[in-house]
Amino acid sequence: MTALHDWPATALLAAYQKQELSPVDVMQSVIAHVERWEPQLCATYLYRPEAALAQARASEARWHQGAPAGLLDGLPVTIKENIATRGDPLPAGTAAVTLVPAAADAPPAARLREAHAICFSKTTMPDYGMLSSGLSSFHPLARNPWDLSKGPGGSSAGGGAAAAAGYGPLHIGTDIGGSLRLPASWCGIYSLKPSLGRIPIDPPYQGRAAGPMTRTVDDSALMMQVLSAPDVRDSMSLPPQDIAWRTVATTGADFIKGKRIGLLLDAGCGLPLQPEVRAAIEQAAALLESAGAQITPMQPFMTPAMLDGMDRFWRMRSLTDLQALSSAQRDKVLPYIRTWAESAEGMSGNAVFQASQQFHQVRLATVKACSAFDFVISPVAPHVAFAAEWPSPTNDPLRPLEHIGFTVPFNMSEQPAASINCGYTAAGLPIGLQIAGARFDDLGVLQLSRAFEQIRGPQKPWPLPPG
């Protein structure tokens, strides 16, 4: 039998409804599994098993009375460390931050609590979320459950590792350039970066989004029913909309028929595409075409100047943040981050302005390139998981963003984009397919993801803890 910690959320809810399972049994299974894995993975922060069991017992009583209090009642969930939870500090992954309890739940955490999910742990991230890695000056080094010598990606590092390892079915992370999709790709899970404002977040920032991290598309659609409620704290929050999230569960492969899908195999910038990644994406495109999609190869629309401009602007923003710290605090920041940010010293006002304009140029180019298609597919990243100890795939602070050419355009264009596993390397490392849709078509991205999930073929068993 499948262990309870491996059950999808949709199946758990059905079992709760029939009183075939108890949230207490599920939470106990998750806790036992976390304790087997966590010494190796280091994915959790503020892990609270006893409080989780108390929540599970309360949920069990509600289900026995036939009166669940919310859509996610009794389902285990983790929350990325930078999403505020009331009373808990937000280290932002770095030892340089003064730990101050948050005054209130940020919108995603508030929605999960209102739905009575069991929020049993936060998950780890790298310093300031500025790495695609689990390397942090505050948290222990996070690792990838598929291969402990590799990292899980980032900055939603702990969330990706936790989902792949089976720390329950539901996890939430954030993404400003690929921080949901990169760990999803490298950990073999599913994640949706929604349209900007679809899931309110506090504080909001250009391109920043929160999103689900799950093993199945259905579970992400379930989370979207809860997370997509508007919140006034996010100035970019979208207005209320009745979206048929529930239809994702009944979406079949026939959804693919007639869809116009662009195939992007060249990001136009950054690292070259690894042959095994290319082969997996081409195979995914062939599967979609055989199911009735119209696949059209695309020319790259990003340029090195666009990526470099965004990089330079983010360096200056981070330098400004570092300069606000005391010298003792700055000394605690990862040297890689400091070297990267301090390289912006001496930038002129004109140079900063020109760098800032590249965000809009990326937006214009992305929207134009995608306008001829219903969806665009591509690699999530040009390569698979890399050494856990490395801050970035290049291990070079002056070439830090060479891997986000496929992901960052959809942050700037505000379009929804997902990562779904589409294959493995000869060494067994997962490879993610990115599915991007038109702005606001989050439901369509989930539906195409669900359809692809049904035609992609058998998946490797999820990794098990050592020993």
Side-chain angles (χ1 to χ4, degrees):
M1 292 181 62
T2 302
L4 294 182
H5 58 259
D6 281 329
W7 281 41
T10 51
L12 290 175
L13 286 178
Y16 291 171
Q17 182 70 43
K18 297 174 185 176
Q19 297 196 12
E20 295 172 348
L21 279 181
S22 159
V24 175
D25 296 332
V26 173
M27 198 64 241
Q28 287 174 335
S29 177
V30 170
I31 289 168
H33 193 62
V34 169
E35 290 174 358
R36 286 190 293 270
W37 254 128
E38 190 57 9
Q40 291 80 31
L41 292 189
C42 300
T44 64
Y45 170 61
L46 300 179
Y47 171 59
R48 292 164 174 158
E50 292 306 318
L53 286 172
Q55 292 178 63
R57 287 189 286 269
S59 176
E60 178 185 63
R62 291 190 293 271
W63 280 106
H64 282 170
Q65 294 166 7
L71 184 62
L72 307 181
D73 200 340
L75 296 177
V77 66
T78 71
I79 299 173
K80 188 177 178 181
E81 183 249 286
N82 65 342
I83 298 174
T85 48
R86 183 170 58 86
D88 296 326
L90 281 82
T94 178
V97 169
T98 301
L99 300 182
V100 178
D105 287 335
R111 301 296 88 79
L112 291 170
R113 289 197 205 273
E114 290 161 5
H116 279 82
I118 300 174
C119 304
F120 70 94
S121 185
K122 305 295 284 285
T123 51
T124 58
M125 60 183 281
D127 284 50
Y128 298 107
M130 293 308 297
L131 301 176
S132 292
S133 160
L135 185 64
S136 163
S137 61
F138 181 82
H139 302 295
L141 177 64
R143 295 182 180 273
N144 191 318
W146 291 95
D147 180 342
L148 293 174
S149 73
K150 309 297 184 184
S155 63
S156 301
Y167 288 19
L170 305 180
H171 310 269
I172 185 168
T174 62
D175 188 316
I176 200 170
S179 291
L180 284 163
R181 290 155 289 160
L182 292 165
S185 174
W186 296 331
C187 292
I189 63 167
Y190 182 76
S191 185
L192 171 69
K193 181 210 73 69
S195 300
L196 185 70
R198 180 69 71 202
I199 296 177
I201 195 166
D202 183 29
Y205 186 82
Q206 180 184 11
R208 186 179 187 226
M213 306 180 79
T214 60
R215 287 181 169 184
T216 70
V217 178
D218 283 355
D219 278 0
S220 281
L222 176 69
M223 292 184 78
M224 290 301 294
Q225 293 182 54
V226 169
L227 295 169
S228 59
D231 194 297
V232 297
R233 289 175 289 175
D234 186 344
S235 59
M236 293 177 278
S237 175
L238 297 177
Q241 186 176 356
D242 185 14
I243 297 174
W245 303 114
R246 294 177 186 271
T247 62
V248 172
T250 58
T251 300
D254 58 347
F255 180 83
I256 299 168
K257 292 180 181 177
K259 295 295 186 293
R260 301 168 301 159
I261 298 179
L263 171 61
L264 183 67
L265 289 172
D266 182 353
C269 56
L271 294 169
L273 197 58
Q274 289 180 346
E276 286 183 295
V277 174
R278 175 183 288 273
I281 303 305
E282 289 177 336
Q283 173 62 20
L287 285 172
L288 290 165
E289 188 169 45
S290 68
Q294 301 171 23
I295 304 294
T296 303
M298 297 175 65
Q299 294 300 309
F301 52 86
M302 283 281 288
T303 67
M306 291 175 181
L307 187 62
D308 290 347
M310 291 189 290
D311 179 16
R312 290 195 302 273
F313 183 84
W314 278 330
R315 292 183 198 216
M316 179 55 74
R317 187 194 72 173
S318 296
L319 176 62
T320 302
D321 291 340
L322 290 182
Q323 289 173 336
L325 301 175
S326 68
S327 59
Q329 288 175 305
R330 282 196 298 275
D331 288 342
K332 296 178 181 179
V333 177
L334 284 177
Y336 182 100
I337 295 286
R338 288 192 60 179
T339 299
W340 172 70
E342 290 169 357
S343 69
E345 287 180 338
M347 278 184 69
S348 67
N350 180 67
V352 174
F353 172 77
Q354 294 300 331
S356 73
Q357 296 310 291
Q358 296 308 307
F359 291 90
H360 189 60
Q361 294 304 314
V362 170
R363 177 190 182 96
L364 294 176
T366 306
V367 172
K368 181 179 179 182
C370 296
S371 62
F373 306 105
D374 300 310
F375 301 97
V376 168
I377 60 171
S378 73
V380 173
H383 52 83
V384 294
F386 54 94
E389 294 80 10
W390 283 19
S392 71
T394 61
N395 198 27
D396 181 350
L398 301 183
R399 297 174 55 228
L401 304 183
E402 301 273 304
H403 56 292
I404 68 169
F406 289 107
T407 52
V408 72
F410 300 108
N411 294 82
M412 299 310 131
S413 68
E414 305 182 15
Q415 294 171 242
S419 173
I420 186 167
N421 192 61
C422 68
Y424 305 86
T425 66
L429 293 175
I431 299 168
L433 172 73
Q434 181 169 243
I435 299 175
R439 189 178 176 206
F440 308 133
D441 190 21
D442 305 77
L443 178 60
V445 170
L446 284 163
Q447 289 173 317
L448 184 60
S449 300
R450 176 72 182 109
F452 179 76
E453 190 177 46
Q454 294 173 68
I455 66 170
R456 68 181 174 181
Q459 298 290 284
K460 290 184 180 293
W462 293 102
L464 297 173

